[in-house]
Amino acid sequence: MLSLLPSFLCLAVIALHPVAAIWPAPQSFTKGSQVLYLHQNIRITYNGAFVRWSSSREHGCLAEDLDTEYWMSQQVPYTYGYSPSSLTSKEVVQAAVSRTLAGIFNSKFVPWQMHKPGSKFEPDLAQGQKWLQTLQIVQTGEDQPSAFKPLAGEVDESYNLTVSAEGDVQLTAVSSIGVLRGLETFSQLFYQHSAGTFWYTPYAPVAIQDAPKFPHRGIMLDTARHFFPVDDILRTIDAMSWNKMNRLHVHVTDSQSWPLVIPALPEVSEKGAHHPSLTYSPQDVQRIQTYGAQRGVEVYFEIDMPGHIGVVSLSHPELIVAYNEQPYYWWCAQPPCGAFKLNNTGVDAFLKTLFDDLLPRLAPYSAYFHTGGDELNKNDSMLDEGIRSNDSAVLQPLLQKFIDTQHARVRAAGLTPMTWEEIPLDWNVTMDKDTVVQTWLGGESVKKVTELGHKVIDSNYNFWYLDCGRGQWLSFDNGAAYVIGYPFNDWCNPVKNWKLIYSHDPTAGLTEEQAKLVLGGEVAVWSETIDPANLDTLVWPRASAAGEVLWSGRIDPATGQNRSQMEATPRLNEFRERMVLNGVRASPIQMMFCTQGSPKECEYPA
Amino acid sequence: MLSLLPSFLCLAVIALHPVAAIWPAPQSFTKGSQVLYLHQNIRITYNGAFVRWSSSREHGCLAEDLDTEYWMSQQVPYTYGYSPSSLTSKEVVQAAVSRTLAGIFNSKFVPWQMHKPGSKFEPDLAQGQKWLQTLQIVQTGEDQPSAFKPLAGEVDESYNLTVSAEGDVQLTAVSSIGVLRGLETFSQLFYQHSAGTFWYTPYAPVAIQDAPKFPHRGIMLDTARHFFPVDDILRTIDAMSWNKMNRLHVHVTDSQSWPLVIPALPEVSEKGAHHPSLTYSPQDVQRIQTYGAQRGVEVYFEIDMPGHIGVVSLSHPELIVAYNEQPYYWWCAQPPCGAFKLNNTGVDAFLKTLFDDLLPRLAPYSAYFHTGGDELNKNDSMLDEGIRSNDSAVLQPLLQKFIDTQHARVRAAGLTPMTWEEIPLDWNVTMDKDTVVQTWLGGESVKKVTELGHKVIDSNYNFWYLDCGRGQWLSFDNGAAYVIGYPFNDWCNPVKNWKLIYSHDPTAGLTEEQAKLVLGGEVAVWSETIDPANLDTLVWPRASAAGEVLWSGRIDPATGQNRSQMEATPRLNEFRERMVLNGVRASPIQMMFCTQGSPKECEYPA
């Protein structure tokens, strides 16, 4: 009997002080323990004007809930040079209010998974309801034209949120994107009562001041090794917005496939897509970008080059070397290899046509365009009849010229170029200092790039590659190769679990000056063994761990120390339930015994 | 150009010789390259009698497709002592025929994922259709009463399947379960034509002789650390039947929760379930067992004891020691600990009531009942006021008596007991030789158990634990524990990828006599971090790899060597597509470039 007492005491404490699981953690957060109820007729204003909201599916949380007719009315016909002027601050906020309230009312989150079975954790309805009166949204600044396609730092995402004991909610932000972030936080204060149609927060009064640590908080999705239908991408954007993540980097082509329809070069996707049904039309691209912009998630694209582009050989064989050369490991990291010829006027003409078509369509909702540049194998140019060399002294000037030319085109379209780290670090290609460099090799890469004066997006594969650790996709024969391959782990084994992801700070080991150049980071979803069947379960909630590092910072301002797994775990458990209830198949991180009000029992040391 | 030629040649060869991806591989399989079409009006007979089949959802492949009204008509009202006599061979075969044909016609498997983009892999409809004429099913034996609840080896699952060039299909089997296995193979011969409502096999004439290597081919599902709704279990049974797996072992209770409703002891699940909605009623249990029996999947249950049963403390605290003791690692492997008192008449009375209620309900569709027995910690009995000792010499006789008593009850109910390996190997408890022992610790465990003369089910955690490798569920503080825990891998890291699973032979290193005692194996789905959100993606197709080892054997009779990953990979790719199209979210094992007629490029060495 003695042994049972502590857990009962613990239960009582937990029931009195629920976890208030805002994810990612706000910079500053105080709360009380008063219960306030949310009614569908709460008075909502935006800069003083009354806001109507709709609980219908048209503003629902998930892409799959979108009413097609509504969606079509939001579509702008596809034209070259399409302007984003139709996206107004008011429309963005209005839609966000509807999504927020519909999310609270529709997700049916009665949080029994977070409390001991049989415990009384809900307010007593018989004691009457004190209702929230108003939700006053005040945007103190005017959105700049860049608000929906910002460069890192161009948009102020901060917000202040207060819920008074009297039931008045004040949400103040400089930008409409800040309003969106605040509304997301607001929604996470609420639960549904098991008795039915009552929704409440037990945390009043609330005062939150919040702003992101890093301006670039992203996911990279590889749509070339497996295709992801538009709905999967929209659902991913939804979940990103719940995590206050703001950059979706679409690695849209690679040597394996070219799903992107280019009207000026229709043959590239006709020959290069895995199947005619597995393509992104210009309308799809616009829909994805607009959907993101409406949720504060900037969608930008990467055409990886001059390596990782072998698929172009299927439509333009004269432009490519080493496509599907055997054995692949002489020529690239992965079949079917293939790189642009580095000194070929045909390549340049192809890219002019490609960029003239694509970039003006992307620019209305992107500030960036990623030109790739990882893993270019010098041997490829041995097969190039115009070069026949793998000597860096020969290749470097050609690559320099290639990058100069293509980046000039990117800039001419009003976009800022990005590359992978090998371009400056391995090839010593010089680029304008505003070029953003994405690191992935870990170690000293971030430091080296900042020493060159470039801005950095970090995707350290030892921490933030979500595809790792589930085994080889290569098949090994029964002979010597079998022995070499056994036990068939992949190159970046093990799986990066959420705690490992959470332990990574992209600015670790940097000087203050160097750290200023780190814009943020991206978790990477390379898709050798990921497709729509397992996308959600592998991305969520692991991406949430990176999302909190990037929004809240690795250091907890309350303690001055690294954020604690023990503090984060119950919050992530609760946030994961919210994601699942809103239609994203996020994986569990603990057994239900641990989530149900027993976090202490599931800590080490106990 | 030179480099491109080999791959074009390769394409031509592949298009002429499609993979015929039967999974698991039949013992003997010859095929031709003639196309035959399947029409919905094919004449089907079972032992000479005409068989009507229905393509309606009522016989659909998936649990979720089940028509409720139909299901209710198949339900036998819940009564104690319910007899399985209502399950007739004819009904089982009839339903399987309907599922098979509905699966072919409804799954819409146009296998473009298995062929190079743009390649011509389909028969030319303009050349006319040669139709399958008849499907003659002949069952040469009469089903024994044990056919739908066999002990290992009691039912003959072999079958012969021929498809003649003239379009006559002959399926011969000794038992109705053999007929089911043959029908599953039959269904895997067919594809849908992209032009629409044409279904064909390109492999005629076909001759298959097939029989399982091991009689026990299972999955263990832990429903205590996370609950799985009945639909998830039924869907898992569906997928098992496609894989010719025949045992679902439900680890239904553990210290974390007790979801099983016991009418004679209602308080146990009332206090012990995670939530009132997360329980299995007697009707649920019967539905799961019946659903399995109809598909040749025997569902048997485990109540783990005398350890791993702490949850009983919530309703019967007087029976349990060490429940939720801190720190857990002094008392058990995982919170919240808890074991039966080993020398307590109350425990025995509780188990009599439990078994008197439960076992007669399980016996109609189970041959086995698993009494657990893993990881009993000797220290627990230090807290037992009736023992106060952790001395094996004191505890062993008590455990011997406990096992003797409970196994006698299991046998009295007509069931054969199973235990985990620790009972005979660590505790030296002697048991009747027909008791089946499940091994999990690898190494010499299988050998040792056979040396004791017991039959073995192998679940070597180094190969067949599907939960491993995705990280710690324990939270670590920021001090010394953090350093100890980093990088937060779990105890059985890494993930067991399908190739590693495929490499494991439960009889490796045994003498021929010892090997005869190995009934088969089970992959284990311990559910610390698995719940309905990620169940399918983690189980499939990895369980398929074990399924093939268990059905087809680790050795390929055609070569006398271990089965080759290179041979298996394209078959598993194709079978995985079939699973996905039938509603199971099986994970991809290769990028689509590899599945699309480029297996050679994705082999090492190339």
Side-chain angles (χ1 to χ4, degrees), chain B residues 216-221 247 249 300 302 370 418-421 437-443 445-446 456-468 491-492 496 504-507 518-526 546 550:
Chain B
H216 188 116
R217 308 177 302 278
I219 293 180
M220 190 221 74
L221 180 66
R247 296 289 187 275
H249 164 182
Y300 72 99
E302 173 188 1
H370 199 309
M418 294 180 64
T419 74
W420 291 102
E421 66 170 271
V437 176
Q438 184 163 16
T439 54
W440 64 283
L441 286 162
S445 291
V446 175
V456 184
I457 306 298
D458 185 43
S459 297
N460 187 323
Y461 81 90
N462 294 298
F463 297 92
W464 285 8
Y465 267 30
L466 299 186
D467 51 305
C468 294
W491 69 280
C492 54
K496 313 310 171 198
H504 179 57
D505 180 352
T507 57
V518 178
L519 302 179
E522 294 179 358
V523 292
V525 185
W526 298 106
L550 291 167

Side-chain angles (χ1 to χ4, degrees), chain B residues 19-26 29 114 188 498 502 544 548 552 556 563-578 589-590 599:
Chain B
V19 65
I22 310 299
W23 191 281
F29 181 16
M114 306 298 129
Q188 294 181 19
W498 82 263
Y502 199 62
S544 305
E548 178 152 299
S552 315
D556 181 347
R563 288 183 184 279
S564 157
Q565 292 176 11
M566 292 183 174
E567 188 279 329
T569 296
R571 279 192 299 114
L572 190 54
N573 280 327
E574 180 168 322
F575 182 58
R576 180 258 173 178
E577 289 297 327
R578 290 185 187 272
I589 60 167
Q590 290 195 312

